Amino acid sequence: MRIVLMGPPGAGKGTQAPRLAEKINASHVSTGDMLRAEVAARTRLGLMAKKFMDAGDLVPDQVMIDMIAARMANDDDNAHPSIILDGFPRTVSQAEALDDALQATGGAIDAAIMLDVERGELVRRLAGRATCANCKTPYHLTFSPPSKDGACDNCGGELVRRPDDQPEAVRNRLRVYDEQTAPVLEYYRAKNKLTVIDGAGAPDDVFKLLLSSVRS
Ligand code: AMP
């Protein structure tokens, strides 16, 4: 199965995608995580991408299409019969390039699932979001804080805030989502591949909805 997990920033993709991947034995491919790893390693790609990311803008399509093509070519299909794409495609051009690449190998996207969350809730979530720098466990400093300030409950790692969770970047990311990524929903809807699920609930409740959508 090849699943695209969609939704605006703060909808919960980064929380749900790894859980779903573990449950259905899929590989989890997050272009945001891949880019952040490039930034941390100070590669040329990372240094170029950082400017776009910090401002909440999209990294150019061709860079992303090349990145995902290389990643999917390296995927060990036997270890992971399924794949969950988290954060890709984010433009119609990316969606078309993905379909072309899969078609060339006789494959296709099976489903696009959108986590739907209203705007005010997205802003509240992003305003308090923090992640363990070590094991990537997500926290919300108000709704699901760690038991010890600034430290991960899971591994003791340092909790960090993303630069693009600053208010100005958040406003831009939501604008970019409306203008460039929302049309991708229509792209999959027209192919009868889109399912919209309610992403407003607690993580466990959203996960149940997600799982039943994947299994239906
Ligand atoms: P995310 O972790 O998915 O929110 O991604 C963080 C940032 O990485 C985005 O705001 C973009 O700047 C960049 N990014 C991630 N995926 C893509 C993509 N498919 N196309 C363009 N930029 C991306």
Side-chain angles (χ1 to χ4, degrees):
M1 261 194 116
R2 297 183 185 88
I3 297 166
V4 170
L5 191 59
M6 298 192 63
K13 300 184 297 295
T15 300
Q16 300 295 340
R19 263 183 94 167
L20 181 63
E22 199 186 332
K23 186 79 180 181
I24 66 170
N25 188 24
S27 59
H28 168 216
V29 175
S30 157
T31 43
D33 284 351
M34 289 165 75
L35 288 169
R36 280 184 287 278
E38 297 282 342
V39 171
R42 303 183 64 80
T43 63
R44 235 165 69 162
L45 169 60
L47 294 176
M48 183 277 289
K50 188 176 187 324
K51 291 197 284 278
F52 294 99
M53 295 168 75
D54 285 355
D57 287 325
L58 295 185
V59 175
D61 278 342
Q62 199 54 51
V63 175
M64 298 311 300
I65 290 165
D66 292 348
M67 176 187 248
I68 208 85
R71 172 66 180 77
M72 288 176 80
N74 280 338
D75 205 40
D76 181 351
D77 274 346
N78 294 324
H80 293 293
S82 301
I83 186 164
I84 296 167
L85 292 174
D86 159 8
F88 187 97
R90 256 179 160 97
T91 65
V92 171
S93 299
Q94 292 180 14
E96 288 170 347
L98 178 62
D99 276 351
D100 289 349
L102 289 173
Q103 220 165 33
T105 62
I109 291 297
D110 297 289
I113 304 175
M114 185 231 185
L115 302 178
D116 191 24
V117 178
E118 59 97 9
R119 214 31 76 101
E121 173 66 10
L122 294 174
V123 172
R124 273 190 295 281
R125 287 184 183 183
L126 293 169
R129 179 157 84 165
T131 310
C132 173
N134 180 40
C135 73
K136 311 287 179 233
T137 299
Y139 292 86
H140 189 284
L141 300 178
T142 311
F143 306 142
S144 56
S147 31
K148 202 174 134 228
D149 262 3
C152 176
D153 291 343
N154 202 23
C155 72
E158 183 196 359
L159 299 194
V160 291
R161 308 267 343 260
R162 282 171 46 167
D164 57 350
D165 281 345
Q166 296 303 316
E168 180 57 30
V170 165
R171 274 193 290 277
N172 193 39
R173 285 162 69 202
L174 292 169
R175 194 164 47 230
V176 165
Y177 177 82
D178 289 340
E179 289 172 8
Q180 301 192 57
T181 307
V184 181
L185 298 173
E186 297 316 313
Y187 178 88
Y188 287 119
R189 200 192 302 277
K191 293 179 184 295
N192 262 328
K193 291 190 173 167
L194 180 69
T195 306
V196 177
I197 66 172
D198 184 3
D204 285 354
D205 297 332
V206 176
F207 185 63
K208 281 188 200 128
L209 293 175
L210 186 56
L211 205 54
S212 60
S213 161
V214 167
R215 287 179 168 161
S216 68

